[in-house]
Amino acid sequence: MRVDVITIFPTVFREFLGASLIGRAIAAGLLEVHVHDLRDFTDDPHRSVDDEPYGGGGGMVMKAEPWLHAVRAVCGDGPRPHRILLSPQGERLDDARVRSLAGEERLLLLCGRYEAIDERVRMLVVDSELSVGDYVLSGGEVPAMTVIEAVSRHIPGVVGRPESVENESFRSGLLDHPHYTRPRTVEGIEVPDVLRSGDHARIDAWRREQALYSRLSRSTCGMACRTFGPETRSRSTSGFGRAPRSASRSSRAWSSRGAAAAPGRLSPCARSRGESGSSASSPSIRR
């Protein structure tokens, strides 16, 4: 796959593209990334890329001409890339969209800055817009890195173990389960017995249970029931309980099977119905 990036800050990509999986993928020829400076496509001595907005208002607007020149030059005469503007108005990036983009032969990422980009850029040289969340960033560079990082994991050979990608969060609608490594005990907290049992069937069931618990702690009960179906719901009381990560040591024995009866706690479903509990004895459930 080839990815082109247009930005006014090309140097911010240097360390990112040389590190970890991305750097190794580029070195191995699995991924090709080209970063282009928008200012190279200006036609004035000051290399200006912005101007005051028509109609007044705060902030500066990125001019259309440099963007049009840049996108058309980068596209060249070959197969046209899928041209993406990183924008707060765009479609929310999620796992399904990442997998879709991974099927493209070539991507072109446009990193805006300032107040906005002239609307005629969207109209003339943009195929789609992507947002990485409902919050404000100063530009599209970090979202572009997010897209490159997420998409590259789906390129064969980039991740050493393909099953690592297939088994990641979101594929089954669940979140990830807790992970532990040595030492066995850290500040009085031990690795769960099931993970040291050697019983892989029990371990798989425990991990599924914990992933479901994480999902339920962020959802309404109705959504979870619709999403996961009867087989998964039947395992939700199998006794592989998970104490909230912020819980005190004395409350770690609390399990999903005893959630409804645990003093001062509410099950995720009860919270969604607005039932009350004792906040003094209810540590927050965090992932």
Side-chain angles (χ1 to χ4, degrees):
M1 169 180 276
R2 171 170 172 163
V3 180
D4 289 272
V5 181
I6 302 176
T7 172
I8 61 172
F9 296 115
T11 57
V12 304
F13 288 88
R14 186 176 301 149
E15 294 296 327
F16 168 73
L17 295 175
S20 191
L21 291 178
I22 300 293
R24 291 198 293 270
I26 293 173
L30 302 173
L31 175 66
E32 189 178 348
V33 182
H34 299 267
V35 182
H36 310 271
D37 189 342
L38 180 65
R39 296 186 188 277
D40 291 341
F41 299 91
T42 58
D43 55 10
D44 70 291
H46 301 290
R47 292 162 47 97
S48 303
V49 295
D50 63 307
D51 207 335
E52 296 178 352
Y54 276 110
M60 302 291 281
V61 175
M62 300 195 85
K63 299 167 63 174
E65 296 96 325
W67 280 108
L68 299 180
H69 295 160
V71 171
R72 289 166 178 162
V74 170
C75 288
D77 298 325
R80 195 181 80 179
H82 185 72
R83 303 165 300 180
I84 301 172
L85 174 63
L86 286 312
S87 161
Q89 288 78 38
E91 171 193 0
R92 178 75 66 88
L93 183 66
D94 59 16
D95 188 66
R97 187 72 173 112
V98 166
R99 282 181 282 152
S100 173
L101 293 176
E104 298 282 349
E105 181 179 351
R106 187 179 173 193
L107 300 175
L108 172 54
L109 306 179
L110 287 65
C111 304
R113 280 269 160 174
Y114 307 124
E115 183 68 21
I117 292 179
D118 190 297
E119 185 64 22
R120 290 163 290 191
V121 176
R122 304 175 196 266
M123 297 168 68
L124 294 170
V125 294
V126 170
D127 297 312
S128 63
E129 298 179 58
L130 281 181
S131 166
V132 295
D134 295 335
Y135 46 85
V136 177
L137 297 173
S138 297
E141 287 76 18
V142 171
M145 293 180 194
T146 301
V147 172
I148 295 171
E149 175 94 8
V151 169
S152 68
R153 295 180 60 82
H154 296 270
I155 300 173
V158 172
V159 178
R161 300 175 61 184
E163 63 270 22
S164 296
V165 177
E166 291 304 316
N167 294 331
E168 285 175 330
S169 300
F170 310 113
R171 290 296 142 79
S172 60
L174 299 177
L175 300 179
D176 203 5
H177 57 79
H179 296 265
Y180 296 85
T181 188
R182 295 179 179 85
R184 174 175 167 176
T185 304
V186 175
E187 297 190 7
I189 305 173
E190 290 200 357
V191 176
D193 292 340
V194 63
L195 297 180
R196 297 182 283 108
S197 68
D199 186 334
H200 294 290
R202 285 186 64 212
I203 291 171
D204 288 344
W206 182 89
R207 286 173 171 169
R208 177 79 177 179
E209 179 75 18
Q210 304 311 298
L212 176 60
Y213 182 90
S214 290
R215 192 68 176 96
L216 288 174
S217 70
R218 290 158 177 77
S219 318
T220 66
C221 191
M223 187 288 299
C225 293
R226 288 194 303 271
T227 301
F228 305 121
E231 179 184 358
T232 302
R233 290 200 306 271
S234 69
R235 288 203 291 261
S236 67
T237 58
S238 61
F240 294 113
R242 173 179 175 182
R245 291 186 174 180
S246 60
S248 65
R249 294 179 187 177
S250 62
S251 63
R252 288 195 183 98
W254 176 74
S255 71
S256 58
R257 181 164 54 187
R265 292 186 184 276
L266 293 176
S267 69
C269 300
R271 286 197 304 276
S272 71
R273 294 192 298 266
E275 298 176 15
S276 62
S278 172
S279 60
S281 59
S282 301
S284 61
I285 297 178
R286 300 175 60 241
R287 175 72 175 89

